């Protein structure tokens, strides 16, 4: 047991005490079916009305139960035949599960249940549910934490906030409450994060997190960096060749970058700007300055498709300035790879564009001066920092991170706390807002005809396919099936297909044909989510849009509305829609502003999902909740700043206590 616990970072009683429940189940009372709320777990006592097996897309056992206040449907996908006959009409049943509202009706998928009059699922207090790994069951966690609690009063962990904050709840009380909530504890209060025990611990956790972020930033800033002067002649030649003038927001951010890069400490800057705001241009200017100063630039993108697009853009921009652009991805193999590695090591290649392949151990630079990481939210902090180690000797390159998913300020502080932030808050002139329409997928045939009509008028369209179930392979199958349907329905339209499994050359050929207008319609999986830039495309259809998150929908929609014509986005959905899916689609219809959408996303989904688990271990906060604990953040940052300077011993202890939650930072 000890070694199993050690594997997940639990080595002491204190570690165990700080392993907090992820959530709680409320099995303390019976809830009437009429009083069930969407996504709120509940125990229900009812009578079986009917049970039947249906043969839809999936064999399903449906059981209807009734308690006089309403009807509830139980849905089982995995079941034995014997189970079916257990649900006799009129039997008493107690069940525990998560209700979902589906088309006005409540439903539970795979609830726990007991049949018969004497069934008993109730408990006296809230039941903790611990984060766990396979092989460690909930009852084991409850037992271990119970044992640790019994020892707590004899040997309480040090109160590291003593004299810093004035909480009414002691550390011991807070820990006890969370592991062993008394019968009076209210689940709704805990879910909102407003119980004083949670506030006490969230404050400490956020302070510890800010200390770690500060540490990362400091250790980066201790390295020397090459001072890079703005190369006015290169910049002038570059801007002169562009078919447009930079926006004032682009100008302002370019100046901010130039000021940072003129220092002898590494720039650590994030440029946030909505989809289509022109971040690439700003990055390219920083790259030119770096090259003119005799240093190299590494430009990294999270997907091969996006990296290829950047390669094409930068190559077109830099070739007239007599600068070559090198390419390195995971698929660059053999001689081609050796050649690039050699060019980077010798300094012959001033600029390399690529994917994750860029930060592998065998990639060496002659004089790396700047790293640019596009779509930073797709990478971990760790990955950015491993590129930072590729400078010359002690020297570290400047760091420029770009992100198109605007995130609320509170989250930015947590996720990118080690970076300074610039915002491009203006879109290039002439952009047309995209009209967004929701449509039931039963009207898909009519939509196909409409797309055909638009293509015949010379417009170009994307048809984005997502499968009903989460899977890359199924997405591709859905895209292939859609291609077939569209080809049959629209024989006179030139249609292409792009997805993640195509060979790079095939992908490049399809994208090029779409860009030149040879193809009018592009069927794609969500691989086109980031970076794809074809200004003439003005129509986008998204299949099963209810499956995608807001950030993803916003990014996808950002592929249209880039040219001068009116653009449209059609979100096709399938009934029944969950409440959250409905909210998401409504937000998409009503808003185009990335920040508004991000705030809505945070409110609907919570931060863990918003940023993804790869992001800074944010999903792994043990206690702190965002946006609920946002008000604590500013204070945490101030306290962390003070402790970092004046009480390094205590700072160290705090970081250590909470370290496991932020493995991404802790490893650097
Ligand atoms: P994002 O911020 O989403 O990465 P891009 O850098 O891909 O945006 O730019 C989107 C499109 O806008 C590209 O076609 C780019 O050439 C164009 N663009 C960038 N800046 C301007 C500008 N100032 N005026 C007009 N078009 C611009
Ligand atoms: Mg971009």
């Amino acid at each position: 047991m000890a070694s199993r616990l050690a594997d997940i970072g639990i080595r002491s009683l204190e570690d165990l005490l700080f392993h907090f429940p992820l959530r709680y189940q409320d099995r303390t009372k019976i809830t009437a079916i009429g009083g069930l709320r969407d996504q709120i777990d509940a125990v229900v006592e009812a009578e079986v009305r009917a049970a039947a097996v249906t043969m839809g897309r999936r064999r399903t056992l449906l059981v209807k139960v009734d308690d006089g206040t309403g009807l509830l449907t139980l849905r089982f996908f995995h079941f034995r035949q014997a189970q079916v006959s257990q649900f006799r009409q009129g039997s008493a049943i107690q069940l525990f599960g998560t209700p979902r509202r589906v088309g006005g009706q409540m439903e539970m998928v795979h609830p726990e249940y007991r049949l018969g009059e004497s069934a008993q699922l109730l408990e006296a207090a809230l039941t903790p549910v611990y984060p766990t790994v396979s092989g460690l069951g909930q009852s084991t966690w409850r037992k271990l934490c119970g044992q640790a609690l019994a020892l707590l009063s004899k040997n309480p962990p040090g109160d590291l906030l003593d004299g810093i904050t004035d909480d009414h709840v002691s550390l011991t009380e807070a820990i006890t409450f969370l592991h062993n909530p008394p019968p009076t504890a209210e689940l709704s209060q805990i879910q909102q994060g407003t119980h004083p025990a949670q506030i006490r611990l969230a404050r400490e956790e956020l302070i510890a997190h800010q200390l770690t972020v500060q540490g990362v930033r400091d250790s980066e800033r201790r390295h020397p960096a090459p001072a890079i002067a703005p190369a006015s002649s290169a910049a002038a030649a570059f801007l002169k060749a562009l078919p447009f003038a930079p926006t004032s927001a682009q100008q302002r951010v370019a100046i901010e970058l130039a000021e940072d890069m003129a220092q002898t400490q590494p720039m650590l800057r994030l440029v946030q700007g909505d989809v289509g705001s022109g971040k690439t241009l700003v990055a390219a200017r920083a790259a030119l300055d770096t090259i003119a100063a005799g240093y190299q630039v590494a430009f990294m993108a999270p997907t091969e498709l996006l990296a290829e697009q950047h390669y094409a853009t930068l190559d077109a921009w830099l070739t007239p300035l007599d600068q070559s652009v090198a390419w390195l991805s995971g698929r660059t193999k053999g001689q081609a790879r050796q050649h690039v590695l050699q060019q980077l090591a010798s300094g012959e290649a001033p600029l390399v564009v690529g994917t994750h392949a860029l930060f592998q151990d065998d990639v060496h630079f002659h004089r790396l001066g700047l790293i640019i990481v596009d779509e930073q939210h797709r990478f971990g902090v760790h990955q950015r920092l491993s590129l930072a180690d590729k400078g010359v000797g002690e020297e570290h390159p400047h760091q420029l991170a770009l992100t198109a998913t605007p995130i609320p300020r509170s989250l930015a502080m947590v996720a990118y706390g080690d970076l300074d932030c610039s915002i491009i808050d203006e879109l290039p002139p002439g952009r047309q807002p995209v009209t967004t329409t929701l449509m039931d997928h039963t009207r898909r045939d009519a939509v196909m005809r409409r797309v055909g009509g638009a293509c015949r008028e010379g417009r170009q369209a994307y048809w984005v396919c997502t499968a009903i179930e989460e899977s890359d392979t199924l997405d591709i199958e859905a895209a292939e099936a859609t291609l077939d349907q569209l080809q049959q329905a629209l024989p006179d339209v030139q249609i292409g297909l792009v997805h993640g499994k195509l060979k790079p050359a095939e992908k490049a050929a399809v994208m090029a044909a779409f860009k030149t207008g040879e193809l009018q319609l592009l069927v794609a999986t969500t691989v086109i989510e980031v970076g794809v830039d074809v200004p003439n495309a003005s129509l986008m259809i998204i299949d099963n849009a209810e499956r995608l998150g807001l950030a993803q929908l916003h990014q996808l929609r950002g592929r249209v509305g880039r040219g001068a014509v009116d653009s449209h986005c059609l979100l096709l959905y399938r009934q029944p829609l969950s409440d959250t899916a409905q909210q998401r689609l409504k937000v998409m219809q009503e808003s185009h502003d990335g920040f508004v959408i991000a705030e809505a996303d945070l409110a609907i989904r919570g931060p863990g999902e918003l940023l993804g688990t790869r992001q800074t271990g944010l999903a792994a906060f043990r206690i702190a909740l965002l946006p609920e604990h946002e008000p604590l953040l500013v204070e945490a940052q101030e306290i962390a700043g003070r402790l970092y300077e004046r009480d390094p011993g205590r700072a160290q202890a705090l970081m250590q206590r909470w370290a496991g939650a932020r493995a991404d930072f802790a490893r650097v």
Side-chain angles (χ1 to χ4, degrees):
M1 178 67 77
S3 82
R4 230 193 238 166
L5 290 173
D7 282 347
I8 51 173
I10 297 181
R11 293 184 181 78
S12 66
L13 281 179
E14 177 168 323
D15 291 339
L16 200 50
L17 289 168
F18 279 81
H19 184 75
F20 292 107
L22 205 55
R23 59 191 176 88
Y24 300 85
Q25 293 172 343
D26 187 353
R27 301 174 180 234
T28 62
K29 56 177 183 293
I30 307 258
T31 304
I33 293 176
L36 288 177
R37 286 193 293 144
D38 197 46
Q39 307 294 335
I40 309 285
D41 292 354
V43 179
V44 167
E45 194 168 58
E47 210 171 85
V48 175
R49 278 281 160 262
V53 176
T54 64
M55 302 297 206
R57 245 182 298 128
R58 240 165 131 179
R59 198 165 150 267
T60 308
L61 167 60
L62 292 176
V63 181
K64 303 262 184 212
V65 305
D66 182 355
D67 69 352
T69 68
L71 208 59
L72 172 68
T73 304
L74 317 181
R75 191 177 281 273
F76 298 88
F77 297 112
H78 310 286
F79 56 93
R80 284 165 291 109
Q81 200 53 39
Q83 253 172 305
V84 181
S85 44
Q86 279 179 350
F87 292 104
R88 265 192 306 277
Q89 193 181 349
S91 311
I93 186 170
Q94 255 201 14
L95 48 103
F96 175 79
T98 312
R100 287 192 310 154
R101 186 185 303 284
V102 180
Q105 275 243 346
M106 280 298 182
E107 182 173 302
M108 283 185 187
V109 176
H110 284 257
E112 262 177 66
Y113 68 93
R114 301 257 192 293
L115 284 156
E117 293 298 338
S118 57
Q120 198 46 273
L121 288 172
L122 289 183
E123 289 185 20
L126 295 178
T127 314
V129 179
Y130 288 92
T132 189
V133 290
S134 79
L136 283 175
Q138 289 300 325
S139 56
T140 307
W141 282 113
R142 283 173 207 152
K143 203 167 77 200
L144 286 172
C145 291
Q147 288 170 357
L149 279 184
L151 294 168
L152 177 64
S153 54
K154 282 192 211 156
N155 203 353
D159 185 345
L160 298 174
L161 297 187
D162 191 23
I164 295 178
T165 57
D166 49 359
D167 278 291
H168 306 299
V169 187
S170 75
L171 182 60
T172 300
E173 282 164 354
I175 291 173
T176 308
F177 177 89
L178 288 168
H179 285 291
N180 194 11
T184 51
E186 286 277 344
L187 184 59
S188 60
Q189 189 186 20
I190 297 182
Q191 278 166 340
Q192 287 157 12
T194 52
H195 191 278
Q198 287 169 292
I199 306 249
R200 163 68 183 76
L201 288 161
R203 184 173 273 144
E204 181 170 326
E205 184 172 34
L206 290 172
I207 293 170
H209 178 261
Q210 290 298 321
L211 281 167
T212 315
V213 168
Q214 183 84 37
V216 169
R217 182 177 168 83
D218 256 29
S219 63
E220 221 7 76
R221 297 278 280 180
R222 268 197 293 274
H223 288 274
I228 288 167
S232 46
S233 63
F238 170 58
L239 293 177
K240 204 162 147 239
L242 281 178
F244 48 75
T247 62
S248 56
Q250 284 171 320
Q251 288 285 25
R252 172 174 46 77
V253 172
I255 291 170
E256 285 167 4
L257 299 185
E259 279 170 1
D260 278 2
M261 294 194 343
Q263 311 298 317
T264 53
Q265 282 182 316
M267 164 169 82
L268 296 172
R269 190 166 285 276
L270 175 74
V271 171
Q272 273 193 48
D274 210 346
V275 180
S277 61
K279 295 181 289 293
T280 321
L281 176 69
V282 172
R285 285 180 66 176
L288 274 178
D289 288 347
T290 308
I291 295 168
Y295 281 86
Q296 291 167 295
V297 180
F299 195 140
M300 181 163 76
T303 68
E304 184 136 329
L305 189 70
L306 176 55
E308 281 159 13
Q309 297 251 322
H310 279 322
Y311 176 78
T313 306
L314 292 166
D315 195 53
W317 281 345
L318 297 195
T319 303
L321 305 174
D322 280 333
Q323 301 292 349
S324 66
V325 181
W327 166 255
L328 183 67
S329 87
R331 304 214 211 189
T332 317
K333 296 263 157 69
Q335 279 199 334
R337 184 177 162 82
Q338 285 318 313
H339 181 65
V340 182
L341 291 185
Q342 182 269 323
Q343 282 195 313
L344 293 177
S346 68
E348 264 168 277
L351 170 63
V352 62
V353 178
T355 58
H356 301 72
L358 286 176
F359 56 74
Q360 278 159 10
D361 283 343
D362 60 345
V363 181
H364 300 285
F365 292 85
H366 176 58
R367 290 181 91 194
L368 184 60
L370 171 66
I371 60 184
I372 301 171
V373 180
D374 196 17
E375 309 289 346
Q376 166 66 48
H377 59 283
R378 298 286 199 94
F379 293 99
V381 182
H382 198 56
Q383 293 169 313
R384 171 163 46 87
L385 293 174
S386 63
L387 255 180
D389 269 337
K390 295 188 185 289
V392 195
E394 270 300 286
E395 227 172 50
H396 269 203
H398 297 288
Q399 294 181 26
L400 170 57
L402 310 175
T403 183
T405 301
I407 61 174
R409 220 185 94 72
S410 62
L411 274 193
M413 262 169 82
V414 170
Y416 310 124
D418 64 324
L419 300 173
D420 301 309
C421 185
S422 294
I423 298 182
I424 305 185
D425 50 6
E426 181 184 357
L427 291 179
R431 291 280 162 84
Q432 303 295 326
V434 181
T435 313
T436 302
T437 316
L438 308 183
M439 207 170 273
D440 192 288
H441 102 114
T442 50
R443 292 170 64 193
R444 202 160 174 267
D445 288 344
V447 172
M448 288 194 177
R449 285 194 296 276
R450 182 172 154 189
V451 170
C455 290
R456 282 177 212 114
E457 284 167 16
R459 294 174 61 177
Q460 286 181 284
Y462 296 99
W463 191 298
V464 183
C465 296
T466 61
I468 310 275
E469 281 168 79
E470 200 89 31
S471 143
D472 278 356
T473 325
L474 288 179
D475 274 1
I476 293 172
E477 280 174 20
E480 282 167 348
T482 302
L483 176 70
D484 270 355
Q485 294 159 3
L486 284 165
Q487 277 171 335
Q488 280 182 18
L490 313 170
D492 57 329
V493 175
Q494 300 304 311
I495 311 176
L497 172 69
V498 65
H499 58 67
K501 297 256 161 71
L502 289 186
K503 296 215 175 69
E506 293 169 338
K507 246 187 296 181
V510 175
M511 291 313 298
F514 189 57
K515 206 154 187 160
T516 58
E518 210 177 298
L519 293 173
Q520 288 125 31
L521 177 55
L522 185 64
V523 178
T525 58
T526 52
V527 292
I528 62 154
E529 177 186 341
V530 288
V532 169
D533 183 35
V534 180
N536 189 48
S538 61
L539 184 58
M540 170 169 285
I541 319 298
I542 304 180
D543 248 338
N544 301 319
E546 78 280 2
R547 265 206 43 210
L548 300 179
L550 273 175
Q552 209 172 7
L553 286 169
H554 179 61
Q555 288 266 2
L556 279 170
R557 185 173 60 184
R559 301 306 116 215
V560 292
R562 294 179 163 237
V565 284
D566 279 352
S567 292
H568 294 269
C569 177
L570 247 164
L571 304 175
L572 285 175
Y573 61 87
R574 273 170 210 260
Q575 300 279 12
L577 281 180
S578 70
D579 282 1
T580 51
Q582 223 159 31
Q583 285 175 42
R584 282 199 300 267
L585 295 178
K586 190 156 167 281
V587 169
M588 285 304 292
Q589 196 174 17
E590 289 171 358
S591 179
H592 293 93
D593 183 327
F595 283 92
V596 173
I597 292 176
E599 294 279 358
D601 206 12
L602 182 61
I604 298 172
R605 287 203 296 170
E609 277 186 86
L610 180 52
L611 289 173
T613 40
R614 263 182 302 175
Q615 186 60 253
T616 66
L618 185 65
F621 267 143
R622 302 180 199 184
I623 293 291
L625 293 170
L626 290 169
E628 289 84 348
H629 292 142
E630 188 176 326
L632 302 178
L633 257 172
V634 173
E635 180 206 48
Q637 202 175 37
E638 280 162 19
I639 294 176
R642 254 183 293 141
L643 279 179
Y644 196 84
E645 298 281 321
R646 297 189 208 150
D647 197 346
R650 202 173 341 187
Q652 196 56 42
L654 273 165
M655 284 191 275
Q656 209 131 23
R657 173 177 284 174
W658 294 92
R662 289 165 309 280
D664 220 349
F665 272 118
R667 261 181 293 148
V668 295

